[in-house]
Amino acid sequence: MLVVLVEDSEAVRDALGAALRAAGYRVRPVGTGAAALEAVTGPAAAADPPDIVLLDLGLPDLDGVEVCRRLRARSAVPVIAVTARGHQQARVLGLRSGADDYVVKPFAIDELTARMEAVLRRTAGHVVAPVVVAGPLRIDLARRVVEVDGTEVALRRKEFDLLAALARRDGAVVPRADLLDDVWGLPPDDPGREAGLHSLEVHVAALRNKLDAPGTVVTVRGVGYRLTSGD
């Protein structure tokens, strides 16, 4: 497994890189947001694509949240935010920007590798092409453009994020709990989950109305939703 380790502190980068190598990972260390984007989407990544990104949010050139947004727009590689920003608002912002998990410094290497393994299990097989086609739908994940039978449909930000979360699962059922975590930034212990469930249902209804493509966003009763071709 190849890890892109994004950390501005050289001392921390070297120590964490050594610990990850000792745990059996290959490491591609970088110290800036620009270098992170290059390490994930540049020529080196094309020849040897990373399996996961550990992204520090306090970077010298670009804010880590913005780096995460850009990574998510260009790639489906899993991202774990690794940062000293421990308050809830920062965690939610990191998750909403596209991070798959969030680890607060200081942490034990065993906790970090366990989270990495969990994210890799959860995302295994779900890396998809930048453009997903499902029946009449054409979803350009990088450009955030959705077309139905060749006509572009204007979606609000969270409506697109919801559709993209379904599209990235390649037809698999996505549990409501995962959507609340991935799209709303509401982990299982968040007190706002009940309100989030109502918001999820409202957004699904709005999405179906705008797409006007029956059978594409399907409810799996008691579990969640999945994206189909509508056949």
Side-chain angles (χ1 to χ4, degrees):
M1 291 288 183
L2 175 60
V3 182
V4 170
L5 172 59
V6 189
E7 167 59 58
D8 68 322
S9 166
E10 184 176 359
V12 173
R13 191 166 64 241
D14 290 347
L16 184 53
L20 288 169
R21 291 186 184 95
Y25 291 91
R26 293 186 298 132
V27 180
R28 184 179 293 162
V30 296
T32 65
L37 295 171
E38 179 69 14
V40 175
T41 64
D48 186 15
D51 296 286
I52 194 167
V53 177
L54 301 180
L55 175 63
D56 181 60
L57 297 187
L59 298 172
D61 55 339
L62 293 170
D63 184 79
V65 171
E66 177 60 24
V67 174
C68 190
R69 288 196 184 102
R70 295 187 191 184
L71 286 175
R72 185 52 67 234
R74 303 179 191 182
S75 171
V77 65
V79 177
I80 296 180
V82 182
T83 178
R85 304 176 189 177
H87 54 86
Q88 184 181 20
Q89 184 179 3
R91 183 181 67 180
V92 169
L93 185 60
L95 291 169
R96 285 179 174 169
S97 69
D100 296 277
D101 201 354
Y102 198 104
V103 181
V104 179
K105 300 175 182 177
F107 51 81
I109 188 64
D110 288 347
E111 177 191 359
L112 177 62
T113 55
R115 287 180 177 271
M116 291 167 62
E117 290 165 6
V119 167
L120 288 165
R121 284 196 304 270
R122 192 166 68 239
T123 58
H126 300 322
V127 177
V128 297
V131 175
V132 177
V133 177
L137 304 185
R138 184 181 186 276
I139 307 160
D140 189 323
L141 297 173
R143 294 174 56 234
R144 297 180 68 87
V145 172
V146 177
E147 296 176 350
V148 178
D149 290 327
T151 300
E152 186 172 340
V153 178
L155 298 181
R156 300 171 75 90
R157 180 179 64 84
K158 200 170 291 295
E159 291 168 351
F160 180 88
D161 291 344
L162 173 59
L163 183 61
L166 297 175
R168 290 190 179 102
R169 294 298 184 94
D170 195 24
V173 178
V174 186
R176 290 180 177 86
D178 287 1
L179 292 171
L180 289 178
D181 199 340
D182 296 346
V183 180
W184 272 261
L186 295 172
D189 59 348
D190 195 293
R193 297 272 291 192
E194 185 173 348
L197 281 170
H198 175 70
S199 181
L200 171 59
E201 292 171 358
V202 170
H203 279 77
V204 168
L207 186 59
R208 286 171 171 158
N209 184 59
K210 289 186 177 182
L211 296 177
D212 192 24
T216 50
V217 179
V218 175
T219 300
V220 180
R221 192 172 300 277
V223 182
Y225 304 92
R226 67 188 181 96
L227 188 67
T228 76
S229 64
D231 296 334

